[in-house]
Amino acid sequence: MASLPNIDLAERLDRLPVTQLHVMAMLMCGMGMMIDTLEMAFGGVLGTVFSTQSPPVPPVELGLLLSAVFVGAVIGAPLLGWWADRQGRRVALVGVMLWICVASLGAAIADGVGQLTLCRLLGGLALGGYPPIVIAYLTDLLPPQRRASLIFLSLTPALLGPPAAIFMVRWLAPLQPLGLEGWRWGFFVGSACALLSAVSFFALPESPRWLLARGRAAKAEAVLQHFERSAAVLAMPPVSPGAAASGEAPSAANTAPAIPMLWRWLAVVGLFLLSPWATIAFPLLTGAVLAQRGFKLDAALLIFGLSSMGPLMGTLVASTVMDRLDRRLAMATCVVAMLACGTAFNFSTGTAALIVAMGLFNLSVALYVPLLTVYSAELFPTGQRASASAIAWAINRLGGALGPLLLVPTLRGAGPSVMFAVVAVSLLATLAVLAASPPGLERQAVS
């Protein structure tokens, strides 16, 4: 049972406006997420490059290379989530970025596909841990009335990562500065940016909610006062009454019955297990699909890159309304859109139609993944939030690792239509799981 002073401190945190300190945390977390997505996007770039070269990398080797980063994430995400719940969100964020820096440098100087696969595996240890930790951190800090909208807004820079990676490699591929392939320069840039991000995270405040959960009330009070002294940027309406995410002592604004833990876990595991087939594997193989259809490297990267820019404006607009929508209904809408756009991409032949179809598909993915991550993070109490989110993310990355191993041979052997049929089945199953999932905690305080 939480003590009354702790409840009071948590309520003070929830009643805060958005301050300059909140904005600083959002900006730094967003820049870190851009580095994470840039590094993850190199999988699609490598898939395109190694599928269009002559001779192309064999399917098994290519599948292992594309899967390696997700295999690393399966191992790294739960370990880093546990670390973030034990040692603090800020310490974990700094460590993750330093690890990405070293792993990316290794990928840039790798000799052959085997060494590159190993470096991607090692990089995945940290790349898989960053998103759940940063979502847990922002869920701890941000006002509940606009939590999802502010998280969406703060992570919008992440949408610049994939097009930046793709167009950087497309630009550098024919130039080969210093005799190095374009994709190697991409990893050099990612390594340098990760180092800068790690240094910037030292300026972040620790989560007061996490400090409370670890019994460090005096430090939590000092950090909260730092937030209270920070200049207000955006006022917040009163916190809405709602269900607490755990069985811990509810605050005055949080008095509805707790959601059974087993129900939460079943829903979260099911949704994260099903999502990567559409949200990771299918976009990852866009370039390979285009290569299978006869597009050359330059044209394939152009379509891949332009379609990856689709989510940017859509996500900015969506961030203004996300806290007004039921979490499950919004996610179901994204799933239906993925089904429709993926089908259109599968049957389109013209360049413009392919760009529009995949751009809208990527927009649906860009809305669905943060929604799912916020939805799951809200369901767990602060002392378990990073660990639970990271375990869910590891399950997601397990699907991401299995996806290329299954879909690359399917694409090469049976063609794009059969490959997308596998993706469509996972999306239909996702709709069924969403219908049976617990309600979300939009505009409600978390424990």
Side-chain angles (χ1 to χ4, degrees):
M1 184 69 70
S3 66
L4 290 178
N6 285 1
I7 293 173
D8 177 66
L9 195 150
E11 287 184 341
R12 285 164 56 199
L13 181 63
D14 287 336
R15 289 196 300 266
L16 284 174
V18 178
T19 68
Q20 291 181 354
L21 196 54
H22 285 107
V23 172
M24 182 183 75
M26 290 165 58
L27 288 174
M28 290 184 182
C29 289
M31 294 306 296
M33 187 65 85
M34 184 175 71
I35 295 167
D36 187 277
T37 58
L38 182 143
E39 289 280 341
M40 296 300 293
F42 282 135
V45 171
L46 295 173
T48 306
V49 170
F50 293 147
S51 293
T52 54
Q53 71 180 23
S54 182
V57 172
V60 174
E61 283 188 56
L62 183 60
L64 288 173
L65 173 61
L66 298 184
S67 296
V69 68
F70 301 107
V71 173
V74 171
I75 301 169
L79 292 177
L80 289 170
W82 172 84
W83 189 32
D85 275 341
R86 298 305 182 278
Q87 300 300 321
R89 317 302 198 211
R90 184 178 64 172
V91 171
L93 290 172
V94 171
V96 163
M97 279 297 154
L98 289 175
W99 188 272
I100 292 173
C101 171
V102 174
S104 296
L105 183 60
I109 62 176
D111 183 15
V113 174
Q115 287 188 15
L116 181 58
T117 300
L118 176 60
C119 290
R120 293 293 282 169
L121 174 70
L122 295 175
L125 295 173
L127 291 169
Y130 182 83
I133 293 172
V134 82
I135 293 292
Y137 177 68
L138 293 175
T139 300
D140 287 354
L141 289 184
L142 295 175
Q145 310 93 314
R146 296 290 185 271
R147 185 187 301 121
S149 294
L150 292 171
I151 289 176
F152 263 72
L153 189 62
S154 66
L155 300 185
T156 296
L159 301 174
L160 297 174
I166 295 163
F167 285 112
M168 178 168 48
V169 173
R170 183 175 183 267
W171 172 53
L172 292 171
L175 300 177
Q176 294 196 357
L178 302 180
L180 298 175
E181 296 97 326
W183 61 264
R184 293 185 185 274
W185 284 106
F187 281 115
F188 279 126
V189 171
S191 178
C193 290
L195 179 60
L196 291 175
S197 183
V199 173
S200 73
F201 280 142
F202 281 106
L204 285 180
E206 185 52 87
S207 160
R209 208 182 297 272
W210 176 81
L211 291 167
L212 273 180
R214 300 300 292 174
R216 298 167 62 182
K219 179 64 174 176
E221 175 65 30
V223 176
L224 178 57
Q225 289 182 12
H226 188 24
F227 275 96
E228 291 173 333
R229 290 193 300 270
S230 183
V233 174
L234 179 65
M236 289 288 109
V239 181
S240 300
S246 78
E248 297 178 8
S251 69
N254 227 343
T255 56
I259 300 168
M261 185 66 72
L262 179 60
W263 190 11
R264 282 178 265 173
W265 271 113
L266 289 174
V268 169
V269 168
L271 292 171
F272 274 90
L273 189 62
L274 289 167
S275 69
W277 298 91
T279 62
I280 296 175
F282 187 64
L284 188 67
L285 292 172
T286 299
V289 169
L290 294 170
Q292 182 89 351
R293 293 183 175 184
F295 286 86
K296 301 301 182 184
L297 175 61
D298 187 69
L301 285 176
L302 177 64
I303 295 172
F304 190 21
L306 290 176
S307 66
S308 71
M309 298 177 68
L312 183 59
M313 291 307 298
T315 302
L316 285 173
V317 173
S319 69
T320 64
V321 299
M322 276 305 164
D323 281 304
R324 303 175 188 176
L325 304 175
D326 178 88
R327 298 275 194 257
R328 293 178 301 172
L329 179 60
M331 287 190 287
T333 302
C334 292
V335 171
V336 172
M338 281 186 261
L339 270 169
C341 296
T343 302
F345 179 81
N346 187 52
F347 290 103
S348 297
T349 55
T351 299
L354 289 168
I355 292 172
V356 171
M358 202 61 205
L360 292 175
F361 186 96
N362 288 334
L363 171 59
S364 303
V365 170
L367 297 177
Y368 179 81
V369 173
L371 265 174
L372 174 58
T373 310
V374 172
Y375 167 79
S376 62
E378 291 172 339
L379 291 179
F380 296 96
T382 298
Q384 304 171 24
R385 183 166 295 125
S387 297
S389 297
I391 290 171
W393 204 256
I395 293 169
N396 175 275
R397 289 335 196 189
L398 176 61
L402 293 175
L405 293 176
L406 173 63
L407 295 182
V408 169
T410 303
L411 173 63
R412 295 275 180 91
S417 296
V418 175
M419 186 195 75
F420 182 70
V422 177
V423 176
V425 169
S426 73
L427 290 171
L428 292 172
T430 299
L431 290 174
V433 175
L434 278 171
S437 297
L441 297 179
E442 56 273 3
R443 301 185 302 280
Q444 298 173 26
V446 295
S447 61

